[in-house]
Amino acid sequence: MQVVIDSVGHRFPTGPWLFRGLTARLDPGQVYALVGPSGSGKSTLLSLIAGWVAPAEGAIERLGSGRTSWVFQNPHGAPRRTVLDHVVLPLLAAGARRREAEADAAPPTRWRWRR
Ligand SMILES: Nc1ncnc2c1ncn2[C@@H]1O[C@H](COP(=O)(O)OP(=O)(O)OP(=O)(O)O)[C@@H](O)[C@H]1O
Ligand SMILES: [Mg+2]
C-alpha cells in the first residue's frame, strides 16, 4: 500500500492544532518511524493514515489496499484468557457463535490451541 499525505493538519474540536502542513509519501515495502514527544499527535496521525479519523484539513490517500492494520502501543491481553479467547473476541462481538468463531480463528497449519 502506498500512502500519500497532502497538506494534512489535525486538531480535535476542543484542542490546539497538533500538526499542520504535513506532506509525505509512504511507499510499499518501506519501514518508517514516527517519533515525537508524548502528546504531540503520533497516534492521532496513525489514526488518520488508517482512515479511522478524518483530517481536519488536507487529504490522505491510501492506494492499493482495502485494509489497514495497527498493533497498538499497549497490546495487552485480558488476564487468564487464552490466545484463542483473544482472537475470537472480535468475531463474537460481531455476532458469531463461539463454535463458528473458534473455527474461523483456527490457524491454517496443524497447530493445536491449548486452553
Ligand atoms: N479523541 C480525542 N479527542 C480529543 N483529544 C484527543 C483525542 N485523541 C487524542 N487527543 C489529544 O491529542 C493530543 C495528541 O494525542 P496522541 O495520542 O496522538 O499523542 P501521541 O504522540 O501518540 O502521545 P504518546 O507518545 O503519549 O502516545 C493529546 O493532547 C491528546 O490528549
Ligand atoms: Mg500514542
Side-chain angles (χ1 to χ4, degrees):
M1 174 172 68
Q2 184 184 58
V3 179
V4 180
I5 302 169
D6 181 15
S7 306
V8 163
H10 195 71
R11 70 190 303 178
F12 291 101
T14 56
W17 286 101
L18 296 172
F19 45 83
R20 299 188 83 175
L22 179 61
T23 294
R25 196 186 75 192
L26 308 180
D27 287 322
Q30 301 299 309
V31 176
Y32 297 92
L34 176 61
V35 296
S38 181
S40 60
K42 302 179 300 293
S43 294
T44 300
L45 178 58
L46 292 180
S47 300
L48 266 56
I49 289 173
W52 301 341
V53 175
E57 63 181 15
I60 298 180
E61 271 191 289
R62 286 167 294 282
L63 308 169
S65 171
R67 180 173 172 183
T68 305
S69 302
W70 175 10
V71 178
F72 286 92
Q73 64 201 76
N74 297 315
H76 304 305
R80 291 180 295 281
R81 290 291 182 176
T82 64
V83 170
L84 180 58
D85 286 335
H86 286 83
V87 175
V88 300
L89 182 60
L91 303 174
L92 297 175
R97 291 176 174 277
R98 178 164 274 275
R99 180 186 291 266
E100 300 159 357
E102 290 194 3
D104 282 352
T109 66
R110 287 171 291 165
W111 298 352
R112 292 258 182 268
W113 291 109
R114 285 182 176 269
R115 291 185 182 277

